[in-house]
Amino acid sequence: EPLFYLYDRGQEVPVDLSADLKIRQREISSRINSRIKMTPEEVLVEQEIEFNIEYQRIDSIALLVPRVLLTEENLVFRDDKPLPLLVVDEDLPGDIVRVRVPLENAIGEVVLRVLHQRRSDTLEPGALTSVSIPLVVPAEGTLDENQLILESADGIEMDPLGEQWERIDGSDAATV
């Protein structure tokens, strides 16, 4: 963004500009809003990852993707257009891979949408079962907020396991 300065009339006309110069490091922060909808037949995951990219433009951004999602066609979208995933590191702990998605000289706010669905195992009435639902997360920058909303069909009750998710009173949203 250009900066504008005004030369005051009546002063001697400057023949040069002297200024302090500082090159700032790129800063990337993100927020994730995830919505998981569960029915007896399927699990639908919708994620919105909002990036704020400051000071320097980027051509791509790294994401951590559960390996099971690599077979999904059209997993990540920007402006309703699917983005290709370039796997850059498959040797991470767990079943996670690092991928890069193109952003084409981006700066400022960038929003990526992640969509995938899975058939759910047959649920027996009254039975307690654990499910693992894969989520995509940023691999670079700082994560400022991570919010999850769980929606389920009548009769299905879900609660996240683990200490990292904290329930927000008065809703079905959890935050980490």
Side-chain angles (χ1 to χ4, degrees):
E1 184 173 312
L3 300 173
F4 297 94
Y5 294 90
L6 179 63
Y7 165 72
D8 284 336
R9 295 179 193 260
Q11 294 182 354
E12 185 176 320
V13 177
V15 293
D16 63 0
L17 170 69
S18 296
D20 291 329
L21 177 67
K22 178 180 181 180
I23 298 177
R24 296 185 143 207
Q25 295 283 3
R26 174 184 307 129
E27 290 182 19
I28 300 173
S29 60
S30 58
R31 294 177 11 174
I32 305 173
N33 290 303
S34 302
R35 180 179 300 272
I36 298 174
K37 298 177 184 176
M38 183 150 195
T39 69
E41 297 82 30
E42 71 179 3
V43 177
L44 175 64
V45 176
E46 302 174 22
Q47 292 183 271
E48 187 173 274
I49 305 173
E50 299 174 19
F51 291 97
N52 187 27
I53 303 159
E54 295 181 310
Y55 307 123
Q56 296 179 20
R57 295 178 181 277
I58 60 174
D59 290 325
S60 65
I61 195 143
L63 301 173
L64 297 176
V65 177
R67 189 177 305 276
V68 68
L69 293 180
L70 288 180
T71 59
E72 293 284 326
E73 247 185 75
N74 302 330
L75 176 67
V76 179
F77 296 81
R78 181 176 181 201
D79 299 328
D80 294 324
K81 296 177 184 149
L83 298 175
L85 304 180
L86 173 64
V87 176
V88 294
D89 189 356
E90 293 189 62
D91 296 327
L92 298 175
D95 228 5
I96 303 289
V97 296
R98 183 184 314 270
V99 301
R100 294 200 78 76
V101 295
L103 295 183
E104 300 176 10
N105 206 22
I107 196 164
E109 185 178 291
V110 172
V111 178
L112 300 181
R113 289 186 59 230
V114 177
L115 299 171
H116 62 90
Q117 68 185 56
R118 293 239 173 278
R119 304 264 332 136
S120 62
D121 295 332
T122 304
L123 300 174
E124 297 293 327
L128 180 63
T129 186
S130 293
V131 294
S132 180
I133 301 169
L135 299 172
V136 174
V137 296
E140 55 189 299
T142 59
L143 181 60
D144 293 337
E145 183 179 312
N146 188 7
Q147 186 172 7
L148 169 69
I149 296 174
L150 300 173
E151 293 180 10
S152 56
D154 290 345
I156 297 177
E157 183 178 320
M158 295 188 303
D159 279 314
L161 299 174
E163 296 177 7
Q164 62 269 47
W165 291 104
E166 174 187 335
R167 188 177 190 102
I168 300 171
D169 289 335
S171 72
D172 283 335
T175 188
V176 67

